[in-house]
Amino acid sequence: MPATVFLNSLNSFFNLSRAVLQKTHQEKQSTSTLGNIVGLSHNSVRNRYQNPKLWRISEIELLAMHYHLPTRSCIQMHGTVVELITYLQQLPSPERRQVERLCQIKTVNMAKRLDDDWSLLDLEKLQSGFQQWVIK
């Protein structure tokens, strides 16, 4: 599977996350209301308002459902991360190490975090690294 497929999935997810976050700012719902929607405390939502890169895939998905936006890219992103790890594990070592350097995360660590919910910051690092790798 080519790297461009991963980039397309990441780009699609980031388009949705931007729309969701824009909607949260437009509607200016209280942090406790948003916390109830995504299952976070008032302080956690406030932290995410201050640093939007802390939002996680599942939280973006819940907000998208709340705002009646399509959630397909969120669902797809969960699968993309799994496929990405498999793809990286099959690359020759020099290429894999190059991608790991560009993404600032090792494949082994990605595999350990498979059951975790990835933050926008983590996905941004993957997107940036893959963009640089595809251009080279």
Side-chain angles (χ1 to χ4, degrees), residues 31-113:
T31 53
S32 55
T33 302
L34 281 178
N36 290 337
I37 294 168
V38 295
L40 293 173
S41 70
H42 164 78
N43 287 335
S44 294
V45 172
R46 196 169 34 139
N47 287 339
R48 281 165 173 71
Y49 264 134
Q50 292 172 352
N51 185 0
K53 293 178 183 184
L54 295 176
W55 286 105
R56 301 195 170 276
I57 298 171
S58 64
E59 296 164 354
I60 294 293
E61 185 175 5
L62 290 169
L63 288 171
M65 286 189 293
H66 173 74
Y67 293 122
H68 306 290
L69 296 171
T71 58
R72 183 173 176 257
S73 63
C74 293
I75 296 164
Q76 187 178 8
M77 185 52 55
H78 287 292
T80 297
V81 173
V82 174
E83 291 175 24
L84 172 65
I85 293 166
T86 303
Y87 174 77
L88 290 174
Q89 289 171 335
Q90 294 173 355
L91 283 177
S93 290
E95 281 185 73
R96 188 182 68 248
R97 283 193 300 274
Q98 182 184 23
V99 173
E100 289 172 342
R101 272 193 306 276
L102 292 171
C103 292
Q104 302 174 12
I105 188 167
K106 293 194 177 279
T107 306
V108 170
N109 293 339
M110 283 187 224
K112 287 178 185 175
R113 294 186 51 205

Side-chain angles (χ1 to χ4, degrees), residues 8-21 73 127:
N8 290 339
S9 182
L10 285 163
N11 291 337
S12 175
F13 174 74
F14 278 115
N15 287 337
L16 173 66
S17 67
R18 277 190 293 277
V20 166
L21 295 178
S73 63
Q127 183 185 39

Side-chain angles (χ1 to χ4, degrees), residues 18-29 49 67:
R18 277 190 293 277
V20 166
L21 295 178
Q22 183 178 13
K23 201 79 156 137
T24 62
H25 289 290
Q26 285 174 346
E27 293 198 5
K28 294 183 176 45
Q29 293 183 343
Y49 264 134
Y67 293 122

